[in-house]
Amino acid sequence: MADTQTVATKPVETEPEKQPKSVRVVLLALMITMMLAMLDNMIVGTAMPTIVGELGGLEHLSWVVTGYTLATAASTPLWGKIGDMYGRKGVFMSSIVLFLIGSALSGMAQDMGQLIGFRAIQGLGAGGLMVGVMAIIGDLIPPRERGKYQGMMAGVMALAMIGGPLVGGTITDHWGWRWAFYINLPLGVVALAAISVVLHLPKKRAQARIDYLGAGLLTVGITAIVLVTTWGGSEYAWTSARIMELIGIGVAALIGFVFWQTKAAEPVVPLHIFRSRNFTLMSVIGFVTGFVMFGATLFLPLYQQSVQGASATNSGLLLLPMLGAMLVTSMVAGRVTTSTGKYKVFPVVGSVLMVVGLYLLSTMDTDTTRFMSGVFMAVVGLGMGCLMQITMLVAQNSVEMKDMGVASSSTTLFRTLGSSFGVAIMGALFNNRVQHVMTERAGAIGSKVTEKSAQLDAASLKKLPAVAREAYQHAVSSGTHSAFLLGAVVAVVALAAAVFVKEVPLKGAGPQ
């Protein structure tokens, strides 16, 4: 065990001193890869109307996103574990190659069925991108120093969210929708070349075989959960037989998975990592952050376009107050953590700001100005900036080097599942309120307007009679009130978890 630990920690102790320039090149390649993972859905989302116009298959439209999301969520834990067992570099490069193959095939798709299948291949690769980035940073840079790079990661995230819709629209308008996928290829090749030449990590060869049964049970469980949150309230009623079946399958698979992990020789997710109080608490905070963040990014542009009359063209820019605040706070949190080695204050303060910000967003109505909504968004952004990267940092600091991959993948998975639940539950609440208010204010006309979808685009909104349009603005305002109030309540869970975080010294923080 001692020998294994020495080999595994070698990059942390020697790489930054031997080749600081090389580490910076690797970090640049990792940020490009992270950008690929984050940009994809946002660019593709903008191109979807054009894709449907050419390929048809409108009834299968949701599967273009769902297939990708399912494959990403299901493969995330496996990439982390395989990296721990067989070496991070080769596994990470394999995930990039698989993502690029899926991107190229998606760009060549001739019908909606092919596109959905190729997007699933792309999603399988995407599952390893974020995990690989986080785990390799965990290998190369001691936790104490890792805070300095938080701003870089937060910047990539903000850039992807703001620039994604803009880039997607520009590419689709000028080059055609296929380039929404092809654009990944040159960026991916640059990242692959840099990582291949410059990244040096110890090679590993585990004696134990991959836990295929555990992997299968986890995949079934995650797939069932994501399908429940995706289909519930939209494709099927929450109380329908199909949703109940999926819930039963998901619960049974996850219970079986937990039981089997206690027996497996090399478990996919070693349960001993949850013995660390901080790791478990970070998983909870990560879940809540995903729940809140993706719910906010879904409903804020909708509110601003429907109620405040903002343009849909620059939808990414509408989130600038939140993302800008998140970027600044993340950079400050990283610098303070690096210089002091202290971090508990950030989850606590971040959770408080998130609760307050979400409550403020829930007070918005049809008279709220863009300036005030921007201030409210900034408060939420300040909170998320304190939480986004700190959760990964503390989670990685809570496990041994040999479990760095599964720690990174588990934290990423909890955030992904949180986002699935956030979009589903906040979406269901939003839709229910919109339907209710529309019927209440506009009667049969209002009910008919929103019977297919509670989210109308700008073109549909302009065609509505004045009475129905005014009713819809009040309905969206009421819907966002309910969604953000729920978000504030859920964020209290993150605050409760943050209070119990133990200040464990960061590894690499001076003499040990």
Side-chain angles (χ1 to χ4, degrees):
M1 176 62 77
D3 291 341
T4 304
Q5 186 68 11
T6 303
V7 173
T9 56
K10 184 179 178 184
V12 171
E13 297 171 357
T14 64
E15 289 290 346
E17 294 177 30
K18 286 171 67 176
Q19 45 174 20
K21 289 182 181 177
S22 298
V23 170
R24 285 198 290 270
V25 172
V26 169
L27 283 171
L28 178 61
L30 293 178
M31 293 306 110
I32 292 173
T33 311
M34 187 174 170
M35 177 76 82
L36 287 176
M38 298 211 61
L39 265 180
D40 190 76
N41 260 337
M42 296 189 174
I43 290 179
V44 172
T46 311
M48 281 314 299
T50 309
I51 294 173
V52 171
E54 183 173 324
L55 299 183
L58 179 63
E59 67 276 14
H60 303 304
L61 174 65
S62 63
W63 274 103
V64 176
V65 175
T66 303
Y68 178 90
T69 305
L70 274 176
T72 301
S75 63
T76 292
L78 306 184
W79 286 113
K81 182 61 183 180
I82 294 169
D84 283 342
M85 292 176 68
Y86 298 109
R88 204 90 60 214
K89 179 177 176 178
V91 171
F92 181 53
M93 290 178 68
S94 299
S95 71
I96 297 176
V97 169
L98 188 58
F99 180 82
L100 296 182
I101 290 172
S103 298
L105 291 172
S106 296
M108 294 186 284
Q110 298 302 307
D111 58 50
M112 193 60 83
Q114 287 183 10
L115 181 60
I116 292 168
F118 296 151
R119 282 281 284 164
I121 294 173
Q122 195 184 15
L124 288 174
L129 298 186
M130 287 293 286
V131 172
V133 169
M134 296 301 179
I136 289 171
I137 287 175
D139 275 352
L140 289 176
I141 302 165
R144 178 72 175 262
E145 298 299 313
R146 219 171 289 156
K148 289 192 293 190
Y149 301 95
Q150 282 182 211
M152 191 187 301
M153 290 184 275
V156 168
M157 188 175 295
L159 187 61
M161 288 185 157
I162 295 169
L166 293 172
V167 172
T170 303
I171 288 174
T172 304
D173 290 343
H174 293 90
W175 297 351
W177 68 265
R178 296 182 186 278
W179 277 96
F181 299 104
Y182 292 150
I183 194 69
N184 293 329
L185 302 181
L187 292 172
V189 168
V190 169
L192 269 177
I195 290 165
S196 175
V197 173
V198 182
L199 178 62
H200 302 294
L201 292 173
K203 294 181 180 179
K204 304 175 186 176
R205 184 70 193 177
Q207 297 302 313
R209 293 198 315 162
I210 295 172
D211 176 17
Y212 292 106
L213 177 57
L217 288 169
L218 183 59
T219 299
V220 171
I222 292 172
T223 300
I225 289 172
V226 174
L227 285 177
V228 166
T229 56
T230 303
W231 284 347
S234 55
E235 298 286 325
Y236 302 96
W238 285 104
T239 54
S240 67
R242 179 60 54 87
I243 296 298
M244 291 297 110
E245 286 169 6
L246 285 171
I247 291 173
I249 291 169
V251 170
L254 292 177
I255 290 174
F257 170 74
V258 171
F259 173 76
W260 177 248
Q261 294 307 279
T262 63
K263 309 288 185 184
E266 192 66 54
V268 176
V269 179
L271 299 183
H272 66 79
I273 62 177
F274 291 97
R275 291 177 194 154
S276 164
R277 183 170 77 183
N278 276 5
F279 181 84
T280 303
L281 292 173
M282 287 303 118
S283 298
V284 172
I285 293 173
F287 180 92
V288 172
T289 305
F291 188 105
V292 167
M293 182 176 179
F294 286 90
T297 54
L298 176 66
F299 295 111
L300 280 170
L302 179 64
Y303 169 84
Q304 290 177 306
Q305 291 168 41
S306 302
V307 180
Q308 296 181 329
S311 165
T313 308
N314 299 323
S315 55
L317 295 175
L318 299 175
L319 298 173
L320 194 55
M322 183 175 76
L323 298 173
M326 186 178 80
L327 173 59
V328 171
T329 319
S330 188
M331 291 176 68
V332 171
R335 291 289 175 180
V336 171
T337 301
T338 297
S339 61
T340 65
K342 305 290 185 183
Y343 53 78
K344 179 174 178 175
V345 64
F346 295 112
V348 174
V349 172
S351 300
V352 169
L353 287 170
M354 203 157 63
V355 171
V356 172
L358 287 162
Y359 174 74
L360 290 173
L361 287 176
S362 77
T363 65
M364 295 190 303
D365 56 27
T366 54
D367 297 321
T368 305
T369 64
R370 290 192 193 180
F371 174 77
M372 286 310 299
S373 60
V375 171
F376 299 162
M377 280 192 279
V379 176
V380 175
L382 291 172
M384 288 197 295
C386 290
L387 295 171
M388 288 301 293
Q389 306 304 332
I390 287 289
T391 51
M392 182 65 73
L393 172 64
V394 178
Q396 290 180 336
N397 191 58
S398 304
V399 301
E400 297 179 53
M401 285 297 298
K402 68 183 179 66
D403 292 323
M404 186 66 71
V406 290
S408 302
S409 63
S410 298
T411 307
T412 303
L413 177 62
F414 277 109
R415 188 176 296 173
T416 302
L417 292 178
S419 68
S420 292
F421 276 93
V423 169
I425 297 173
M426 291 171 80
L429 199 59
F430 172 85
N431 292 343
N432 182 268
R433 285 301 302 158
V434 169
Q435 295 280 8
H436 177 76
V437 174
M438 282 296 284
T439 304
E440 190 178 75
R441 283 183 168 264
I445 297 176
S447 180
K448 187 176 181 181
V449 165
T450 56
E451 66 182 353
K452 289 187 178 178
S453 174
Q455 300 178 26
L456 303 181
D457 57 28
S460 302
L461 198 56
K462 285 179 182 177
K463 294 176 185 176
L464 294 180
V467 174
R469 187 162 56 245
E470 184 182 345
Y472 185 69
Q473 289 175 337
H474 282 281
V476 168
S477 178
S478 178
T480 51
H481 164 77
S482 299
F484 288 128
L485 198 57
L486 172 67
V489 172
V490 173
V492 172
V493 175
L495 176 58
V499 168
F500 291 99
V501 170
K502 186 179 179 183
E503 192 95 67
V504 178
L506 293 173
K507 297 165 188 173
Q512 299 294 310

